[in-house]
Amino acid sequence: TGSEPEKAHAHLSDFYKIVDRGIQELLREPETPLILAGVEEDTVLYRSVSGYEYLLEDGIPGSIDLSREHSALLRRAYAILRTDGLRLQRNALLEARERTAPSHFSTNPDILLHAAFEGRLDQLYVNAGVERMDVFERDGYRSWGSEDMLNLAMVQTIVHHGRAWTLPGDMMPDGLT
C-alpha cells in the first residue's frame, strides 16, 4: 500500500528497469556510451535504477521533440560525446604518467619523433594548440618543406600501430605540453 505518487514512482521505476535491461541488450558493443535526454525527474529516476556501465554523466535536459529538434539534439549529443572523450583521454594520460617508468615516458618532442619513426610509441598525446614547425630527414623520409613535427610524430605513431590523441591545452596535465 502507499499513496498514489509512491505507487506511480514504483511503477515508473520498474518500467525504467525493464528499459535498462533492453538498452543493455541493444548496446552490446563494448563501451558504447549512452546519453540521456529528457526532463530531470525522469532522467534522475532512470539513473538511479540503471546498471549500464557507460551511461554518461552529462545529459540533454528538457522535454525533447524529435520532429523539430533533431539536428539541435544531435549537436548537443556530439558535444557531450566530445567532452567525455577528451575527459577519458586526459584521465588515460594521467594514469599512463603515473604507472609508466620515467625512462619510458617522455615529453621531449625530438625523442618522441624519433621513437615514432622507429615504431616505439604505443601512445602519444599532443597539445592541440601547439605546433613545432621544422624540416625532418630520416631513413627514406624527407620533408618537402617546413611541417609540424608533432603532427608527423602522430602520423608515424599511427602508421606503426600506436595510438595518438590531441587534447586541448587546458586539459593537458600540469607539466605536459
Side-chain angles (χ1 to χ4, degrees):
T1 65
S3 68
E4 287 304 314
E6 289 173 344
K7 289 179 185 176
H9 182 77
H11 288 297
L12 196 52
S13 178
D14 290 341
F15 171 73
Y16 283 146
K17 287 177 186 176
I18 294 168
V19 169
D20 190 58
R21 281 194 298 271
I23 290 287
Q24 291 190 46
E25 286 180 27
L26 182 66
L27 302 178
R28 291 179 190 227
E29 292 293 320
E31 301 180 22
T32 302
L34 176 63
I35 300 171
L36 293 183
V39 294
E40 184 177 4
E41 179 181 334
D42 288 332
T43 59
V44 167
L45 181 55
Y46 182 85
R47 283 182 193 285
S48 72
V49 299
S50 177
Y52 190 65
E53 185 177 355
Y54 302 105
L55 176 59
L56 299 186
E57 290 179 29
D58 291 333
I60 301 172
S63 181
I64 308 298
D65 181 356
L66 288 177
S67 66
R68 293 190 309 211
E69 301 179 33
H70 188 263
S71 62
L73 184 65
L74 286 174
R75 281 191 302 275
R76 290 191 288 182
Y78 178 75
I80 290 169
L81 287 172
R82 173 81 175 136
T83 300
D84 188 66
L86 291 171
R87 181 189 55 79
L88 289 172
Q89 292 312 317
R90 183 182 192 280
N91 291 344
L93 174 56
L94 289 169
E95 190 177 304
R97 183 172 68 175
E98 287 296 317
R99 66 177 157 73
T100 305
S103 63
H104 289 87
F105 188 93
S106 179
T107 60
N108 182 315
D110 293 325
I111 291 173
L112 293 171
L113 183 58
H114 287 280
F117 266 89
E118 294 169 2
R120 294 187 294 118
L121 288 185
D122 180 52
Q123 299 178 59
L124 177 63
Y125 295 87
V126 173
N127 183 335
V130 174
E131 285 184 343
R132 186 160 185 252
M133 302 305 288
D134 205 349
V135 175
F136 187 78
E137 290 185 36
R138 178 193 172 135
D139 300 335
Y141 181 86
R142 183 177 189 181
S143 298
W144 287 22
S146 186
E147 66 180 311
D148 184 359
M149 296 293 106
L150 300 174
N151 185 61
L152 181 58
M154 291 180 72
V155 169
Q156 288 300 313
T157 298
I158 294 167
V159 164
H160 290 94
H161 307 291
R163 295 167 292 170
W165 296 274
T166 58
L167 288 173
D170 62 341
M171 292 189 78
M172 293 296 285
D174 293 337
L176 298 180
T177 57

PDB file of all heavy atoms in Angstrom, residues 47-82:
ATOM      1  N   ARG A  47      18.603   7.057 -13.974  1.00  0.00           N
ATOM      2  CA  ARG A  47      19.981   6.878 -13.481  1.00  0.00           C
ATOM      3  C   ARG A  47      20.011   6.065 -12.186  1.00  0.00           C
ATOM      4  O   ARG A  47      20.915   5.268 -11.973  1.00  0.00           O
ATOM      5  CB  ARG A  47      20.641   8.235 -13.228  1.00  0.00           C
ATOM      6  CG  ARG A  47      21.092   8.933 -14.453  1.00  0.00           C
ATOM      7  CD  ARG A  47      21.785  10.255 -14.120  1.00  0.00           C
ATOM      8  NE  ARG A  47      21.940  11.061 -15.300  1.00  0.00           N
ATOM      9  CZ  ARG A  47      22.833  10.837 -16.245  1.00  0.00           C
ATOM     10  NH1 ARG A  47      23.661   9.829 -16.123  1.00  0.00           N
ATOM     11  NH2 ARG A  47      22.897  11.593 -17.314  1.00  0.00           N
ATOM     12  N   SER A  48      19.023   6.271 -11.334  1.00  0.00           N
ATOM     13  CA  SER A  48      19.019   5.579 -10.042  1.00  0.00           C
ATOM     14  C   SER A  48      18.810   4.077 -10.174  1.00  0.00           C
ATOM     15  O   SER A  48      19.233   3.313  -9.307  1.00  0.00           O
ATOM     16  CB  SER A  48      17.959   6.182  -9.117  1.00  0.00           C
ATOM     17  OG  SER A  48      16.658   5.833  -9.542  1.00  0.00           O
ATOM     18  N   VAL A  49      18.164   3.631 -11.251  1.00  0.00           N
ATOM     19  CA  VAL A  49      17.907   2.192 -11.415  1.00  0.00           C
ATOM     20  C   VAL A  49      18.800   1.552 -12.472  1.00  0.00           C
ATOM     21  O   VAL A  49      18.852   0.331 -12.577  1.00  0.00           O
ATOM     22  CB  VAL A  49      16.422   1.915 -11.767  1.00  0.00           C
ATOM     23  CG1 VAL A  49      15.515   2.421 -10.655  1.00  0.00           C
ATOM     24  CG2 VAL A  49      16.041   2.488 -13.107  1.00  0.00           C
ATOM     25  N   SER A  50      19.506   2.362 -13.254  1.00  0.00           N
ATOM     26  CA  SER A  50      20.287   1.819 -14.362  1.00  0.00           C
ATOM     27  C   SER A  50      21.549   1.126 -13.875  1.00  0.00           C
ATOM     28  O   SER A  50      22.236   1.603 -12.976  1.00  0.00           O
ATOM     29  CB  SER A  50      20.683   2.942 -15.333  1.00  0.00           C
ATOM     30  OG  SER A  50      21.496   2.419 -16.357  1.00  0.00           O
ATOM     31  N   GLY A  51      21.853   0.032 -14.513  1.00  0.00           N
ATOM     32  CA  GLY A  51      23.096  -0.680 -14.251  1.00  0.00           C
ATOM     33  C   GLY A  51      24.055  -0.561 -15.426  1.00  0.00           C
ATOM     34  O   GLY A  51      25.088  -1.233 -15.457  1.00  0.00           O
ATOM     35  N   TYR A  52      23.716   0.304 -16.389  1.00  0.00           N
ATOM     36  CA  TYR A  52      24.531   0.426 -17.589  1.00  0.00           C
ATOM     37  C   TYR A  52      25.825   1.159 -17.264  1.00  0.00           C
ATOM     38  O   TYR A  52      25.820   2.295 -16.797  1.00  0.00           O
ATOM     39  CB  TYR A  52      23.765   1.132 -18.703  1.00  0.00           C
ATOM     40  CG  TYR A  52      24.488   1.067 -20.026  1.00  0.00           C
ATOM     41  CD1 TYR A  52      24.687  -0.161 -20.654  1.00  0.00           C
ATOM     42  CD2 TYR A  52      24.983   2.200 -20.627  1.00  0.00           C
ATOM     43  CE1 TYR A  52      25.361  -0.245 -21.862  1.00  0.00           C
ATOM     44  CE2 TYR A  52      25.656   2.128 -21.843  1.00  0.00           C
ATOM     45  CZ  TYR A  52      25.842   0.904 -22.447  1.00  0.00           C
ATOM     46  OH  TYR A  52      26.521   0.828 -23.638  1.00  0.00           O
ATOM     47  N   GLU A  53      26.929   0.497 -17.536  1.00  0.00           N
ATOM     48  CA  GLU A  53      28.254   0.994 -17.140  1.00  0.00           C
ATOM     49  C   GLU A  53      28.672   2.256 -17.873  1.00  0.00           C
ATOM     50  O   GLU A  53      29.408   3.075 -17.344  1.00  0.00           O
ATOM     51  CB  GLU A  53      29.290  -0.109 -17.384  1.00  0.00           C
ATOM     52  CG  GLU A  53      30.666   0.222 -16.913  1.00  0.00           C
ATOM     53  CD  GLU A  53      31.639  -0.935 -17.106  1.00  0.00           C
ATOM     54  OE1 GLU A  53      31.215  -2.031 -17.527  1.00  0.00           O
ATOM     55  OE2 GLU A  53      32.823  -0.720 -16.851  1.00  0.00           O
ATOM     56  N   TYR A  54      28.201   2.446 -19.093  1.00  0.00           N
ATOM     57  CA  TYR A  54      28.663   3.572 -19.912  1.00  0.00           C
ATOM     58  C   TYR A  54      27.602   4.661 -20.074  1.00  0.00           C
ATOM     59  O   TYR A  54      27.566   5.368 -21.073  1.00  0.00           O
ATOM     60  CB  TYR A  54      29.152   3.065 -21.274  1.00  0.00           C
ATOM     61  CG  TYR A  54      30.251   2.055 -21.094  1.00  0.00           C
ATOM     62  CD1 TYR A  54      30.024   0.709 -21.274  1.00  0.00           C
ATOM     63  CD2 TYR A  54      31.518   2.462 -20.682  1.00  0.00           C
ATOM     64  CE1 TYR A  54      31.035  -0.223 -21.063  1.00  0.00           C
ATOM     65  CE2 TYR A  54      32.533   1.549 -20.473  1.00  0.00           C
ATOM     66  CZ  TYR A  54      32.280   0.208 -20.667  1.00  0.00           C
ATOM     67  OH  TYR A  54      33.272  -0.701 -20.453  1.00  0.00           O
ATOM     68  N   LEU A  55      26.771   4.807 -19.059  1.00  0.00           N
ATOM     69  CA  LEU A  55      25.803   5.895 -19.013  1.00  0.00           C
ATOM     70  C   LEU A  55      26.563   7.170 -18.663  1.00  0.00           C
ATOM     71  O   LEU A  55      27.180   7.262 -17.604  1.00  0.00           O
ATOM     72  CB  LEU A  55      24.729   5.598 -17.965  1.00  0.00           C
ATOM     73  CG  LEU A  55      23.675   6.665 -17.709  1.00  0.00           C
ATOM     74  CD1 LEU A  55      22.902   6.978 -18.989  1.00  0.00           C
ATOM     75  CD2 LEU A  55      22.723   6.188 -16.619  1.00  0.00           C
ATOM     76  N   LEU A  56      26.568   8.128 -19.578  1.00  0.00           N
ATOM     77  CA  LEU A  56      27.357   9.340 -19.380  1.00  0.00           C
ATOM     78  C   LEU A  56      26.725  10.240 -18.324  1.00  0.00           C
ATOM     79  O   LEU A  56      25.506  10.285 -18.175  1.00  0.00           O
ATOM     80  CB  LEU A  56      27.507  10.108 -20.691  1.00  0.00           C
ATOM     81  CG  LEU A  56      28.216   9.363 -21.820  1.00  0.00           C
ATOM     82  CD1 LEU A  56      28.432  10.279 -23.009  1.00  0.00           C
ATOM     83  CD2 LEU A  56      29.547   8.794 -21.359  1.00  0.00           C
ATOM     84  N   GLU A  57      27.584  10.953 -17.605  1.00  0.00           N
ATOM     85  CA  GLU A  57      27.118  11.861 -16.557  1.00  0.00           C
ATOM     86  C   GLU A  57      26.304  13.013 -17.135  1.00  0.00           C
ATOM     87  O   GLU A  57      25.302  13.404 -16.563  1.00  0.00           O
ATOM     88  CB  GLU A  57      28.306  12.416 -15.772  1.00  0.00           C
ATOM     89  CG  GLU A  57      29.001  11.402 -14.913  1.00  0.00           C
ATOM     90  CD  GLU A  57      30.192  11.993 -14.174  1.00  0.00           C
ATOM     91  OE1 GLU A  57      30.180  13.204 -13.882  1.00  0.00           O
ATOM     92  OE2 GLU A  57      31.134  11.227 -13.901  1.00  0.00           O
ATOM     93  N   ASP A  58      26.782  13.577 -18.230  1.00  0.00           N
ATOM     94  CA  ASP A  58      26.069  14.684 -18.855  1.00  0.00           C
ATOM     95  C   ASP A  58      24.914  14.150 -19.671  1.00  0.00           C
ATOM     96  O   ASP A  58      24.990  13.079 -20.265  1.00  0.00           O
ATOM     97  CB  ASP A  58      26.997  15.484 -19.770  1.00  0.00           C
ATOM     98  CG  ASP A  58      28.045  16.257 -18.996  1.00  0.00           C
ATOM     99  OD1 ASP A  58      27.782  16.596 -17.831  1.00  0.00           O
ATOM    100  OD2 ASP A  58      29.116  16.520 -19.554  1.00  0.00           O
ATOM    101  N   GLY A  59      23.855  14.918 -19.693  1.00  0.00           N
ATOM    102  CA  GLY A  59      22.697  14.556 -20.491  1.00  0.00           C
ATOM    103  C   GLY A  59      22.119  15.794 -21.148  1.00  0.00           C
ATOM    104  O   GLY A  59      22.652  16.903 -21.017  1.00  0.00           O
ATOM    105  N   ILE A  60      21.027  15.607 -21.837  1.00  0.00           N
ATOM    106  CA  ILE A  60      20.354  16.708 -22.518  1.00  0.00           C
ATOM    107  C   ILE A  60      19.042  16.953 -21.783  1.00  0.00           C
ATOM    108  O   ILE A  60      18.132  16.131 -21.841  1.00  0.00           O
ATOM    109  CB  ILE A  60      20.111  16.362 -24.000  1.00  0.00           C
ATOM    110  CG1 ILE A  60      21.456  16.073 -24.680  1.00  0.00           C
ATOM    111  CG2 ILE A  60      19.360  17.497 -24.688  1.00  0.00           C
ATOM    112  CD1 ILE A  60      21.333  15.531 -26.088  1.00  0.00           C
ATOM    113  N   PRO A  61      18.990  18.066 -21.051  1.00  0.00           N
ATOM    114  CA  PRO A  61      17.813  18.320 -20.213  1.00  0.00           C
ATOM    115  C   PRO A  61      16.624  18.855 -21.012  1.00  0.00           C
ATOM    116  O   PRO A  61      16.783  19.437 -22.079  1.00  0.00           O
ATOM    117  CB  PRO A  61      18.319  19.384 -19.233  1.00  0.00           C
ATOM    118  CG  PRO A  61      19.370  20.122 -19.989  1.00  0.00           C
ATOM    119  CD  PRO A  61      20.010  19.094 -20.886  1.00  0.00           C
ATOM    120  N   GLY A  62      15.449  18.618 -20.477  1.00  0.00           N
ATOM    121  CA  GLY A  62      14.235  19.190 -21.048  1.00  0.00           C
ATOM    122  C   GLY A  62      13.416  18.195 -21.821  1.00  0.00           C
ATOM    123  O   GLY A  62      13.829  17.069 -22.077  1.00  0.00           O
ATOM    124  N   SER A  63      12.238  18.636 -22.171  1.00  0.00           N
ATOM    125  CA  SER A  63      11.339  17.824 -22.982  1.00  0.00           C
ATOM    126  C   SER A  63      11.799  17.912 -24.431  1.00  0.00           C
ATOM    127  O   SER A  63      11.996  19.004 -24.959  1.00  0.00           O
ATOM    128  CB  SER A  63       9.909  18.356 -22.834  1.00  0.00           C
ATOM    129  OG  SER A  63       9.027  17.569 -23.583  1.00  0.00           O
ATOM    130  N   ILE A  64      11.968  16.793 -25.058  1.00  0.00           N
ATOM    131  CA  ILE A  64      12.549  16.731 -26.391  1.00  0.00           C
ATOM    132  C   ILE A  64      11.460  16.424 -27.426  1.00  0.00           C
ATOM    133  O   ILE A  64      10.716  15.460 -27.278  1.00  0.00           O
ATOM    134  CB  ILE A  64      13.641  15.636 -26.466  1.00  0.00           C
ATOM    135  CG1 ILE A  64      14.678  15.795 -25.355  1.00  0.00           C
ATOM    136  CG2 ILE A  64      14.281  15.621 -27.843  1.00  0.00           C
ATOM    137  CD1 ILE A  64      15.466  17.071 -25.386  1.00  0.00           C
ATOM    138  N   ASP A  65      11.410  17.232 -28.473  1.00  0.00           N
ATOM    139  CA  ASP A  65      10.507  16.990 -29.593  1.00  0.00           C
ATOM    140  C   ASP A  65      11.372  16.627 -30.800  1.00  0.00           C
ATOM    141  O   ASP A  65      11.934  17.504 -31.458  1.00  0.00           O
ATOM    142  CB  ASP A  65       9.675  18.233 -29.882  1.00  0.00           C
ATOM    143  CG  ASP A  65       8.688  18.019 -31.023  1.00  0.00           C
ATOM    144  OD1 ASP A  65       8.705  16.933 -31.648  1.00  0.00           O
ATOM    145  OD2 ASP A  65       7.907  18.940 -31.291  1.00  0.00           O
ATOM    146  N   LEU A  66      11.516  15.341 -31.069  1.00  0.00           N
ATOM    147  CA  LEU A  66      12.392  14.873 -32.146  1.00  0.00           C
ATOM    148  C   LEU A  66      11.964  15.366 -33.523  1.00  0.00           C
ATOM    149  O   LEU A  66      12.796  15.514 -34.415  1.00  0.00           O
ATOM    150  CB  LEU A  66      12.476  13.353 -32.147  1.00  0.00           C
ATOM    151  CG  LEU A  66      13.264  12.731 -31.012  1.00  0.00           C
ATOM    152  CD1 LEU A  66      13.194  11.208 -31.100  1.00  0.00           C
ATOM    153  CD2 LEU A  66      14.706  13.193 -31.034  1.00  0.00           C
ATOM    154  N   SER A  67      10.699  15.638 -33.707  1.00  0.00           N
ATOM    155  CA  SER A  67      10.249  16.080 -35.021  1.00  0.00           C
ATOM    156  C   SER A  67      10.754  17.476 -35.356  1.00  0.00           C
ATOM    157  O   SER A  67      10.901  17.820 -36.520  1.00  0.00           O
ATOM    158  CB  SER A  67       8.724  16.039 -35.108  1.00  0.00           C
ATOM    159  OG  SER A  67       8.152  16.989 -34.222  1.00  0.00           O
ATOM    160  N   ARG A  68      11.056  18.288 -34.333  1.00  0.00           N
ATOM    161  CA  ARG A  68      11.501  19.659 -34.593  1.00  0.00           C
ATOM    162  C   ARG A  68      12.933  19.922 -34.164  1.00  0.00           C
ATOM    163  O   ARG A  68      13.554  20.862 -34.629  1.00  0.00           O
ATOM    164  CB  ARG A  68      10.576  20.640 -33.880  1.00  0.00           C
ATOM    165  CG  ARG A  68       9.183  20.654 -34.446  1.00  0.00           C
ATOM    166  CD  ARG A  68       8.404  21.785 -33.889  1.00  0.00           C
ATOM    167  NE  ARG A  68       8.481  21.810 -32.426  1.00  0.00           N
ATOM    168  CZ  ARG A  68       7.543  22.242 -31.637  1.00  0.00           C
ATOM    169  NH1 ARG A  68       6.441  22.709 -32.141  1.00  0.00           N
ATOM    170  NH2 ARG A  68       7.683  22.232 -30.336  1.00  0.00           N
ATOM    171  N   GLU A  69      13.474  19.133 -33.271  1.00  0.00           N
ATOM    172  CA  GLU A  69      14.781  19.432 -32.681  1.00  0.00           C
ATOM    173  C   GLU A  69      15.851  18.422 -33.059  1.00  0.00           C
ATOM    174  O   GLU A  69      16.857  18.313 -32.373  1.00  0.00           O
ATOM    175  CB  GLU A  69      14.649  19.483 -31.161  1.00  0.00           C
ATOM    176  CG  GLU A  69      13.670  20.505 -30.660  1.00  0.00           C
ATOM    177  CD  GLU A  69      13.556  20.485 -29.148  1.00  0.00           C
ATOM    178  OE1 GLU A  69      14.560  20.195 -28.478  1.00  0.00           O
ATOM    179  OE2 GLU A  69      12.464  20.747 -28.646  1.00  0.00           O
ATOM    180  N   HIS A  70      15.664  17.701 -34.133  1.00  0.00           N
ATOM    181  CA  HIS A  70      16.565  16.610 -34.485  1.00  0.00           C
ATOM    182  C   HIS A  70      18.016  17.072 -34.605  1.00  0.00           C
ATOM    183  O   HIS A  70      18.910  16.511 -33.967  1.00  0.00           O
ATOM    184  CB  HIS A  70      16.089  15.951 -35.781  1.00  0.00           C
ATOM    185  CG  HIS A  70      16.828  14.720 -36.129  1.00  0.00           C
ATOM    186  ND1 HIS A  70      17.873  14.723 -37.011  1.00  0.00           N
ATOM    187  CD2 HIS A  70      16.695  13.449 -35.694  1.00  0.00           C
ATOM    188  CE1 HIS A  70      18.348  13.499 -37.110  1.00  0.00           C
ATOM    189  NE2 HIS A  70      17.646  12.707 -36.336  1.00  0.00           N
ATOM    190  N   SER A  71      18.301  18.080 -35.411  1.00  0.00           N
ATOM    191  CA  SER A  71      19.688  18.499 -35.618  1.00  0.00           C
ATOM    192  C   SER A  71      20.279  19.145 -34.374  1.00  0.00           C
ATOM    193  O   SER A  71      21.453  18.943 -34.066  1.00  0.00           O
ATOM    194  CB  SER A  71      19.808  19.429 -36.822  1.00  0.00           C
ATOM    195  OG  SER A  71      19.060  20.604 -36.616  1.00  0.00           O
ATOM    196  N   ALA A  72      19.492  19.908 -33.636  1.00  0.00           N
ATOM    197  CA  ALA A  72      19.984  20.519 -32.389  1.00  0.00           C
ATOM    198  C   ALA A  72      20.312  19.437 -31.365  1.00  0.00           C
ATOM    199  O   ALA A  72      21.320  19.523 -30.657  1.00  0.00           O
ATOM    200  CB  ALA A  72      18.950  21.485 -31.821  1.00  0.00           C
ATOM    201  N   LEU A  73      19.486  18.414 -31.305  1.00  0.00           N
ATOM    202  CA  LEU A  73      19.723  17.298 -30.391  1.00  0.00           C
ATOM    203  C   LEU A  73      21.022  16.577 -30.747  1.00  0.00           C
ATOM    204  O   LEU A  73      21.835  16.261 -29.874  1.00  0.00           O
ATOM    205  CB  LEU A  73      18.541  16.329 -30.447  1.00  0.00           C
ATOM    206  CG  LEU A  73      18.564  15.147 -29.497  1.00  0.00           C
ATOM    207  CD1 LEU A  73      18.477  15.626 -28.061  1.00  0.00           C
ATOM    208  CD2 LEU A  73      17.415  14.212 -29.803  1.00  0.00           C
ATOM    209  N   LEU A  74      21.244  16.343 -32.033  1.00  0.00           N
ATOM    210  CA  LEU A  74      22.475  15.686 -32.472  1.00  0.00           C
ATOM    211  C   LEU A  74      23.700  16.533 -32.139  1.00  0.00           C
ATOM    212  O   LEU A  74      24.727  16.003 -31.706  1.00  0.00           O
ATOM    213  CB  LEU A  74      22.429  15.398 -33.969  1.00  0.00           C
ATOM    214  CG  LEU A  74      21.520  14.248 -34.392  1.00  0.00           C
ATOM    215  CD1 LEU A  74      21.455  14.151 -35.910  1.00  0.00           C
ATOM    216  CD2 LEU A  74      21.978  12.942 -33.789  1.00  0.00           C
ATOM    217  N   ARG A  75      23.620  17.845 -32.335  1.00  0.00           N
ATOM    218  CA  ARG A  75      24.749  18.723 -31.995  1.00  0.00           C
ATOM    219  C   ARG A  75      25.058  18.674 -30.504  1.00  0.00           C
ATOM    220  O   ARG A  75      26.211  18.606 -30.097  1.00  0.00           O
ATOM    221  CB  ARG A  75      24.469  20.167 -32.429  1.00  0.00           C
ATOM    222  CG  ARG A  75      24.683  20.394 -33.916  1.00  0.00           C
ATOM    223  CD  ARG A  75      24.666  21.879 -34.261  1.00  0.00           C
ATOM    224  NE  ARG A  75      23.444  22.558 -33.882  1.00  0.00           N
ATOM    225  CZ  ARG A  75      22.344  22.604 -34.630  1.00  0.00           C
ATOM    226  NH1 ARG A  75      22.313  22.008 -35.798  1.00  0.00           N
ATOM    227  NH2 ARG A  75      21.282  23.257 -34.204  1.00  0.00           N
ATOM    228  N   ARG A  76      24.025  18.705 -29.682  1.00  0.00           N
ATOM    229  CA  ARG A  76      24.252  18.638 -28.228  1.00  0.00           C
ATOM    230  C   ARG A  76      24.818  17.291 -27.822  1.00  0.00           C
ATOM    231  O   ARG A  76      25.711  17.207 -26.981  1.00  0.00           O
ATOM    232  CB  ARG A  76      22.960  18.939 -27.473  1.00  0.00           C
ATOM    233  CG  ARG A  76      22.561  20.401 -27.604  1.00  0.00           C
ATOM    234  CD  ARG A  76      21.468  20.766 -26.665  1.00  0.00           C
ATOM    235  NE  ARG A  76      20.208  20.172 -27.088  1.00  0.00           N
ATOM    236  CZ  ARG A  76      19.047  20.343 -26.486  1.00  0.00           C
ATOM    237  NH1 ARG A  76      18.972  21.099 -25.419  1.00  0.00           N
ATOM    238  NH2 ARG A  76      17.956  19.764 -26.919  1.00  0.00           N
ATOM    239  N   ALA A  77      24.326  16.219 -28.422  1.00  0.00           N
ATOM    240  CA  ALA A  77      24.844  14.877 -28.103  1.00  0.00           C
ATOM    241  C   ALA A  77      26.305  14.756 -28.522  1.00  0.00           C
ATOM    242  O   ALA A  77      27.126  14.211 -27.776  1.00  0.00           O
ATOM    243  CB  ALA A  77      23.999  13.804 -28.789  1.00  0.00           C
ATOM    244  N   TYR A  78      26.642  15.281 -29.700  1.00  0.00           N
ATOM    245  CA  TYR A  78      28.030  15.229 -30.151  1.00  0.00           C
ATOM    246  C   TYR A  78      28.936  16.004 -29.202  1.00  0.00           C
ATOM    247  O   TYR A  78      30.032  15.551 -28.882  1.00  0.00           O
ATOM    248  CB  TYR A  78      28.170  15.770 -31.579  1.00  0.00           C
ATOM    249  CG  TYR A  78      29.612  15.769 -32.019  1.00  0.00           C
ATOM    250  CD1 TYR A  78      30.240  14.582 -32.371  1.00  0.00           C
ATOM    251  CD2 TYR A  78      30.364  16.937 -32.031  1.00  0.00           C
ATOM    252  CE1 TYR A  78      31.575  14.564 -32.742  1.00  0.00           C
ATOM    253  CE2 TYR A  78      31.697  16.927 -32.398  1.00  0.00           C
ATOM    254  CZ  TYR A  78      32.296  15.744 -32.754  1.00  0.00           C
ATOM    255  OH  TYR A  78      33.621  15.718 -33.095  1.00  0.00           O
ATOM    256  N   ALA A  79      28.489  17.165 -28.744  1.00  0.00           N
ATOM    257  CA  ALA A  79      29.293  17.966 -27.809  1.00  0.00           C
ATOM    258  C   ALA A  79      29.535  17.201 -26.512  1.00  0.00           C
ATOM    259  O   ALA A  79      30.636  17.225 -25.958  1.00  0.00           O
ATOM    260  CB  ALA A  79      28.605  19.305 -27.534  1.00  0.00           C
ATOM    261  N   ILE A  80      28.525  16.492 -26.041  1.00  0.00           N
ATOM    262  CA  ILE A  80      28.674  15.688 -24.816  1.00  0.00           C
ATOM    263  C   ILE A  80      29.664  14.554 -25.058  1.00  0.00           C
ATOM    264  O   ILE A  80      30.544  14.299 -24.237  1.00  0.00           O
ATOM    265  CB  ILE A  80      27.300  15.144 -24.355  1.00  0.00           C
ATOM    266  CG1 ILE A  80      26.437  16.294 -23.833  1.00  0.00           C
ATOM    267  CG2 ILE A  80      27.470  14.070 -23.283  1.00  0.00           C
ATOM    268  CD1 ILE A  80      24.985  15.915 -23.595  1.00  0.00           C
ATOM    269  N   LEU A  81      29.532  13.860 -26.194  1.00  0.00           N
ATOM    270  CA  LEU A  81      30.458  12.769 -26.516  1.00  0.00           C
ATOM    271  C   LEU A  81      31.889  13.279 -26.640  1.00  0.00           C
ATOM    272  O   LEU A  81      32.833  12.649 -26.152  1.00  0.00           O
ATOM    273  CB  LEU A  81      30.046  12.071 -27.812  1.00  0.00           C
ATOM    274  CG  LEU A  81      28.821  11.181 -27.739  1.00  0.00           C
ATOM    275  CD1 LEU A  81      28.422  10.727 -29.135  1.00  0.00           C
ATOM    276  CD2 LEU A  81      29.062   9.997 -26.824  1.00  0.00           C
ATOM    277  N   ARG A  82      32.069  14.419 -27.279  1.00  0.00           N
ATOM    278  CA  ARG A  82      33.408  15.002 -27.455  1.00  0.00           C
ATOM    279  C   ARG A  82      34.018  15.347 -26.100  1.00  0.00           C
ATOM    280  O   ARG A  82      35.163  14.996 -25.824  1.00  0.00           O
ATOM    281  CB  ARG A  82      33.302  16.252 -28.353  1.00  0.00           C
ATOM    282  CG  ARG A  82      34.565  17.030 -28.483  1.00  0.00           C
ATOM    283  CD  ARG A  82      35.478  16.409 -29.507  1.00  0.00           C
ATOM    284  NE  ARG A  82      36.635  17.275 -29.684  1.00  0.00           N
ATOM    285  CZ  ARG A  82      37.864  16.837 -29.746  1.00  0.00           C
ATOM    286  NH1 ARG A  82      38.109  15.550 -29.710  1.00  0.00           N
ATOM    287  NH2 ARG A  82      38.859  17.660 -29.869  1.00  0.00           N
TER     288      ARG A  82
END
